[in-house]
Amino acid sequence: MTADIVVLGAGIVGVCVALHLQKRGQSTILLDRRGAAEETSFGNAGLIQREGVVPYGFPHDFGALLRYGLNRTIDAHYHLTALPEIAPFLWKYWSHSRKERHAEIARLYSRLIEHCVTEHDALAAEAGAQALIRREGWIRAFRTEARRDESFAEAERWKREFGVLYRPLDARALQELEPHLAPVLSGGLHWVEPTTVSDPNALALAYLRRFESLGGKFVQGNAATLEESGKGWRLRTAEGPVEAGAAVIALGPWADVVTRMLGYDLPLAVKRGYHMHYRAAGVAKLNRPVLDSEKGYALAPMARGIRLTTGAEFALRDAIRTPVQLGRAEPIARNLFPLAERIDTDPWMGARPCTPDMMPIIGPAPRHRNLWFAFGHAHHGLTLGPVTGRMIAEMVAGETPFVDPAPYRADRF
């Protein structure tokens, strides 16, 4: 098989890259070792986070560091045996999270985030997938007035600086929006601009079908077989060898498998996360995702049921699964919302691909012609998939990207 370009990785980012390339007349092959969106893109809280202008930083206050160091929380967990290997990444992550540096990163990051809803809406309309996207926003809920008021003040700063919109909720207003939550909360922050997805896997598959309807081809194969061939690239697939003039690495947490093979030493790590689905008890209904911010888990209404998602687990990508955060979160979540039995047989786990400066890597490979990078989106792979896809396609096609890609280039490291 031959193509103008091959995209490695069929998560939400890779699917969006391939779709945007095919739309611009580039004959495109999309490759993955499994089916599309069956890894990290399968499980998340389903948020398209227009409000997510400030990426999740590493805490700097002593109290938070002590709390996380005890390794008993829901929002963060770590494997002690992994620390020697991931310590250099954590040190860089901590350094980039200093107040002044974090603010600088947010200004750059917001340029991507501001387009996330409109770019998803455009692809969903093309793919006939509008029914999967909801427009009720999501709620960050608080148990204490101090935490609530602190977050209200932060949201007001973000509104002034980045233009994000929110609605402050006292306890009564929150109860009116989500009447089946237990009356134990002091209020909430209703982010009104983000959209949410009832089935992230189904949305990615809808985009894939649109890609295929335009003539694109999805194949299964091993991205690690990628090698230079003349003026382009070659790799092996289940349907035979593929020859392409250009390649895009969109492998998420597995990007380093190929980039290291090609001689790149990029500072990549993963934050693993877990989810479990539950039936809502009786007539209970959750209208939109709710983050129990002081406990560190989220509940999201999904097509399959109520999805309970955990925070970050710092571990090696391929280490044994340890869903202890789910075990810690479940009894607390049951006291907040009437969850019935578990629907899934086992907890799901995914690995979020992260960089220490909290920004994705989007753009040309520094030392190879006709090779492009599109990975490292951390918590915002679903949010930024269409934005990244359009940027890469515009660069490949020689167009001026609608977002300046300079801050996200690999050579910043």
Side-chain angles (χ1 to χ4, degrees):
M1 288 181 287
T2 62
D4 294 329
I5 191 162
V6 59
V7 178
L8 310 182
I12 186 65
V13 173
V15 169
C16 290
V17 169
L19 174 51
H20 271 288
L21 286 165
Q22 193 69 33
K23 285 172 59 177
R24 284 162 177 77
Q26 302 280 334
S27 64
T28 305
I29 292 174
L30 177 63
L31 175 141
D32 201 289
R33 62 178 181 171
R34 298 180 55 166
E38 291 186 357
E39 297 276 10
T40 307
S41 296
F42 184 87
N44 49 66
L47 307 179
I48 300 173
Q49 290 190 256
R50 172 62 184 91
E51 93 298 338
V53 290
V54 179
Y56 299 102
F58 198 101
H60 272 240
D61 63 284
F62 179 77
L65 290 172
L66 178 61
R67 183 166 65 91
Y68 292 133
L70 295 174
N71 212 19
R72 298 173 184 170
T73 67
I74 297 169
D75 51 344
H77 179 68
Y78 62 88
H79 287 188
L80 185 62
T81 54
L83 290 182
E85 185 167 335
I86 66 176
F89 172 88
L90 293 176
W91 169 251
K92 293 174 184 176
Y93 183 19
W94 183 86
S95 298
H96 283 293
S97 299
R98 287 179 290 109
K99 184 177 180 180
E100 297 79 8
R101 175 59 178 151
H102 199 191
E104 178 186 356
I105 288 169
R107 286 191 292 273
L108 299 173
Y109 196 67
S110 65
R111 299 173 189 172
L112 297 171
I113 290 290
E114 66 180 321
H115 301 286
C116 63
V117 170
T118 54
E119 290 300 309
H120 261 292
D121 284 349
L123 292 191
E126 290 183 28
Q130 299 98 320
L132 295 170
I133 296 179
R134 300 165 174 164
R135 302 192 181 278
E136 292 87 9
W138 69 278
I139 292 174
R140 185 176 182 184
F142 308 101
R143 292 175 178 265
T144 64
E145 291 184 359
R147 185 69 174 271
R148 179 197 68 189
D149 294 344
E150 177 186 347
S151 293
F152 285 176
E154 180 181 65
E156 185 61 27
R157 290 195 301 272
W158 291 4
K159 180 181 177 180
R160 290 195 305 268
E161 187 169 354
F162 303 110
V164 295
L165 302 180
Y166 71 98
R167 177 186 172 196
L169 306 172
D170 60 17
R172 181 177 177 179
L174 175 58
Q175 202 69 38
E176 290 176 354
L177 282 182
E178 297 294 345
H180 290 103
L181 293 179
V184 297
L185 301 168
S186 66
L189 186 63
H190 182 194
W191 295 110
V192 298
E193 292 180 289
T195 52
T196 62
V197 181
S198 61
D199 188 336
N201 174 255
L203 185 66
L205 293 180
Y207 292 171
L208 176 68
R209 288 192 295 272
R210 175 59 176 162
F211 162 70
E212 292 176 324
S213 75
L214 295 174
K217 185 173 179 60
F218 173 68
V219 300
Q220 286 186 285
N222 184 357
T225 65
L226 183 72
E227 61 181 0
E228 291 185 88
S229 172
K231 295 182 179 180
W233 299 90
R234 177 194 298 120
L235 71 167
R236 296 191 296 274
T237 78
E239 300 182 32
V242 166
E243 298 269 356
V248 181
I249 298 175
L251 290 164
W254 293 275
D256 62 340
V257 173
V258 177
T259 56
R260 287 185 181 276
M261 181 182 70
L262 296 173
Y264 296 95
D265 185 18
L266 298 170
L268 299 173
V270 300
K271 295 180 186 178
R272 306 201 310 181
Y274 299 85
H275 82 224
M276 172 61 66
H277 289 100
Y278 302 81
R279 186 178 62 82
V283 297
K285 182 180 180 182
L286 193 65
N287 297 308
R288 56 187 59 77
V290 174
L291 171 67
D292 190 347
S293 62
E294 285 146 297
K295 298 298 183 179
Y297 68 91
L299 293 172
M302 293 282 178
R304 184 170 171 79
I306 303 298
R307 180 178 290 181
L308 170 59
T309 68
T310 68
E313 181 181 64
F314 293 92
L316 300 183
R317 181 190 59 220
D318 301 320
I320 189 172
R321 299 183 179 198
T322 52
V324 296
Q325 291 158 288
L326 272 176
R328 295 167 183 165
E330 185 174 306
I332 299 172
R334 288 187 181 280
N335 286 331
L336 183 65
F337 181 84
L339 298 173
E341 73 277 4
R342 288 184 168 191
I343 294 174
D344 303 328
T345 304
D346 298 300
W348 176 90
M349 188 200 80
R352 309 175 184 99
C354 302
T355 66
D357 67 0
M358 295 157 276
M359 295 195 298
I361 297 174
I362 305 171
R367 296 193 302 273
H368 290 81
R369 293 180 64 251
N370 301 320
L371 181 66
W372 305 83
F373 293 163
F375 51 81
H377 294 76
H379 297 263
H380 288 151
L382 174 63
T383 294
L384 292 175
V387 176
T388 301
R390 181 175 166 185
M391 290 173 65
I392 289 288
E394 287 173 341
M395 285 186 275
V396 170
E399 303 170 15
T400 300
F402 79 119
V403 177
D404 180 7
Y408 323 109
R409 292 169 60 104
D411 56 13
R412 72 182 188 267
F413 296 113

